[in-house]
Amino acid sequence: MTALKYERTPRTPCHSKIDITQLRGKTVIVTGASRGLGFAYAKAFVNAGAFVVLADLQPPPAGEFDEVQAVFVKCDVSIWEEQVAVFQSAVQRSPSKKIDIVVANAGIAGPDVISGLDEDEPQKPDTQMTDININGVLYTTKLAAWHFKRQSSDPRDGCLILVGSIMGYIDTKSSAIYAATKFGVRGIMCCLRRKAGFRINSIAPWFIHTPIMRKEFLDTVREDFRQMGLDLASISDAVAAVLRIATDQSMHGKNLAIVPRALSSSGYMDLDLDDHDEDSPAGRLQAAASAISYGNFGHKTV
């Protein structure tokens, strides 16, 4: 697998036109695609002429997709075998018999690791969030890489988009488990962009009104945000960011944050927070570590 060379480039121009005609005839897998952001991504790809495989626990609303345009495959992303079946189905049912774009979108939110402190005895934290938000993303990544390698010798032909969160970049009082998983998604992208044989990018949504969040909570925080000159981000802007990554073959190793329009008129922006100035201590350490060819020598099995 020929690796793409990662180099720091100027911030992504988020206001230029997106050429969605490039998506016509492509095959796309979207995990967590039956509702919320995943459903919006799937719908946008179908409208652009792509064939889409929707992987989720429940099917999308009836009548939303024609079978010629999209198929649903039941999948718990935390189960390896079920994700294998999704990718196999995608190849078998794809008009081109290959996979071009994978969006690792499936994820959940939930209680914090330090919830339940009034219990008589400490209870083991629920790890379902890490099973889905980290293990599930790792499974999707491995399968995407395996298929991309066998489909083309050009590493730019495969595109993996990881869906993280702005919580992977900022401090909050939210769930520590959720924040850890989203920092983890950021770590996957930042490592693989330097050695993967395919394009890998990510997005980091700010608060968006989707089924993953309670309406009452969002109504409250929206009012608080407006007093600070901010607002929620929008689903349509998240879709635009995903389509930009999918259609722009020059994009590799980038993260686009989905933000309030007060911060960017496009509703998304390149925060440029995954690199460091070359002469800074972190920049020098990153350059040194990135120059090492680890192979199997950097890790010891006990």
Side-chain angles (χ1 to χ4, degrees):
M1 183 166 63
T2 303
L4 277 174
K5 183 178 181 182
Y6 173 73
E7 294 181 341
R8 187 177 189 180
T9 57
R11 291 185 176 184
T12 302
C14 296
H15 296 86
S16 58
K17 185 177 179 180
I18 301 172
D19 182 10
I20 62 171
T21 63
Q22 295 184 43
L23 298 173
R24 189 173 298 122
K26 300 289 188 181
T27 295
V28 184
I29 294 175
V30 182
T31 65
S34 291
R35 62 177 186 159
L37 288 173
F39 176 81
Y41 303 146
K43 197 73 173 176
F45 280 117
V46 165
N47 290 341
F51 175 76
V52 181
V53 176
L54 298 88
D56 209 326
L57 289 171
Q58 301 294 330
E64 289 289 346
F65 298 100
D66 187 297
E67 287 188 5
V68 175
Q69 302 171 304
V71 295
F72 166 72
V73 180
K74 185 175 181 180
C75 176
D76 179 339
V77 294
S78 67
I79 299 175
W80 167 256
E81 292 78 10
E82 293 193 11
Q83 286 220 45
V84 169
V86 169
F87 279 78
Q88 289 176 339
S89 180
V91 172
Q92 292 166 2
R93 304 182 74 167
S94 162
S96 64
K97 302 304 178 185
K98 68 175 188 176
I99 301 164
D100 302 288
I101 300 162
V102 177
V103 184
N105 169 74
I108 61 171
D112 195 6
V113 67
I114 60 170
S115 62
L117 298 186
D118 293 332
E119 299 160 342
D120 292 335
E121 295 291 337
Q123 301 299 310
K124 180 180 177 180
D126 186 347
T127 60
Q128 183 185 28
M129 217 185 316
T130 55
D131 292 339
I132 293 173
N133 296 6
I134 286 293
N135 293 348
V137 171
L138 289 171
Y139 293 164
T140 306
T141 299
K142 174 65 180 287
L143 288 163
W146 190 90
H147 283 272
F148 289 158
K149 179 181 180 181
R150 283 155 178 78
Q151 293 173 174
S152 175
S153 59
D154 185 346
R156 294 194 179 274
D157 285 346
C159 175
L160 174 62
I161 303 172
L162 305 182
V163 178
S165 168
I166 201 69
M167 305 312 169
Y169 288 85
I170 60 175
D171 293 355
T172 74
K173 297 177 182 178
S174 180
S175 165
I177 301 178
Y178 183 80
T181 64
K182 295 308 177 179
F183 269 89
V185 170
R186 178 184 177 188
I188 294 169
M189 193 279 287
C190 287
C191 179
L192 291 185
R193 67 182 178 174
R194 296 184 181 272
K195 64 179 183 179
F198 52 89
R199 290 199 300 121
I200 182 169
N201 296 276
S202 61
I203 66 168
W206 170 249
F207 292 86
I208 298 178
H209 193 172
T210 67
I212 198 173
M213 306 189 78
R214 299 192 317 275
K215 181 180 183 301
E216 297 79 10
F217 171 75
L218 285 176
D219 288 343
T220 299
V221 299
R222 187 170 201 172
E223 184 59 34
D224 292 339
F225 292 158
R226 284 176 172 171
Q227 294 180 23
M228 304 175 199
L230 297 172
D231 202 340
L232 304 180
S234 79
I235 290 177
S236 61
D237 293 337
V239 168
V242 166
L243 295 182
R244 176 167 297 284
I245 293 171
T247 56
D248 185 351
Q249 286 203 332
S250 70
M251 285 192 67
H252 175 58
K254 291 284 191 177
N255 177 77
L256 297 181
I258 318 304
V259 298
R261 287 294 183 100
L263 299 182
S264 172
S265 61
S266 65
Y268 63 96
M269 62 187 299
D270 183 349
L271 291 177
D272 194 25
L273 292 177
D274 291 315
D275 287 288
H276 310 280
D277 293 336
E278 292 182 0
D279 295 331
S280 70
R284 293 176 63 187
L285 292 172
Q286 179 167 279
S290 299
I292 299 171
S293 178
Y294 287 87
N296 293 321
F297 301 104
H299 306 280
K300 182 179 179 181
T301 301
V302 178

